[in-house]
Amino acid sequence: MEQLAANAERASIKYKQVEFMADHLGEEYQGSVSGVTEWGLYVEIDENKCEGMVPIRDLDDDYYEFDEKNYCLIGRRKKHIYQLGDKLTVKVARTDLNRKILDFALAGDSIIKHEDKPLLTKNGDLVPVKSKKSKKSKKGSSKRSTKKSSKKNK
């Protein structure tokens, strides 16, 4: 009985989200990837917490495959990775109130670049990339320390 109530609550929330977003077709929003499946990316809009899907068939810059092990979509040619937490700009593409479906499309230069975006190893494992900013700050701090030490020596 509890599970039935929980399912009814989720269905009513989804219905209201789709109903609300139907008035915003074509509008762009910032969101985060909240789910990754073999058929697309689920994106939750930051502003209003509405969740919809970017179907994998609409990701036309590459052929994307679902990496079950790392829970992400990986482009075959360009090796672009979409994973949980990625910030995207999406446009409301389709709404279907009867089926409670909310579809998004990526808008323009959608992916917001991450300094620590992971790459793939030859084995297909994800490896985080070290931030360029942290490398610069280490170099900068070492230069300062050598200048101070050279002044002390004079």
Side-chain angles (χ1 to χ4, degrees), residues 45-64:
I45 295 174
D46 297 336
E47 182 181 321
N48 56 27
K49 302 301 180 198
C50 290
E51 185 180 57
M53 187 174 78
V54 178
I56 198 167
R57 68 178 178 271
D58 292 349
L59 299 174
D60 55 7
D61 65 322
D62 202 346
Y63 180 82
Y64 287 90

Side-chain angles (χ1 to χ4, degrees), residues 1-46:
M1 194 64 148
E2 246 181 79
Q3 188 177 7
L4 187 62
N7 288 341
E9 181 183 7
R10 275 193 290 275
S12 68
I13 289 170
K14 189 63 179 178
Y15 182 89
K16 283 303 198 181
Q17 287 180 349
V18 174
E19 183 181 50
F20 174 76
M21 293 307 286
D23 296 334
H24 300 278
L25 280 172
E27 292 183 20
E28 292 184 5
Y29 295 93
Q30 294 293 318
S32 301
V33 175
S34 58
V36 183
T37 65
E38 60 199 41
W39 53 87
L41 300 167
Y42 286 94
V43 178
E44 182 179 90
I45 295 174
D46 297 336

Side-chain angles (χ1 to χ4, degrees), residues 47-103:
E47 182 181 321
N48 56 27
K49 302 301 180 198
C50 290
E51 185 180 57
M53 187 174 78
V54 178
I56 198 167
R57 68 178 178 271
D58 292 349
L59 299 174
D60 55 7
D61 65 322
D62 202 346
Y63 180 82
Y64 287 90
E65 295 177 327
F66 179 57
D67 181 352
E68 213 171 330
K69 179 181 173 189
N70 297 303
Y71 205 62
C72 62
L73 292 179
I74 303 170
R76 262 193 193 170
R77 289 176 289 132
K78 298 177 185 176
K79 301 295 183 199
H80 185 108
I81 300 171
Y82 289 103
Q83 61 187 3
L84 290 175
D86 280 352
K87 295 288 187 185
L88 302 173
T89 303
V90 293
K91 186 188 319 186
V92 181
R94 290 176 288 279
T95 60
D96 185 339
L97 203 51
N98 294 328
R99 293 172 52 204
K100 296 184 227 44
I101 293 175
L102 178 58
D103 279 348

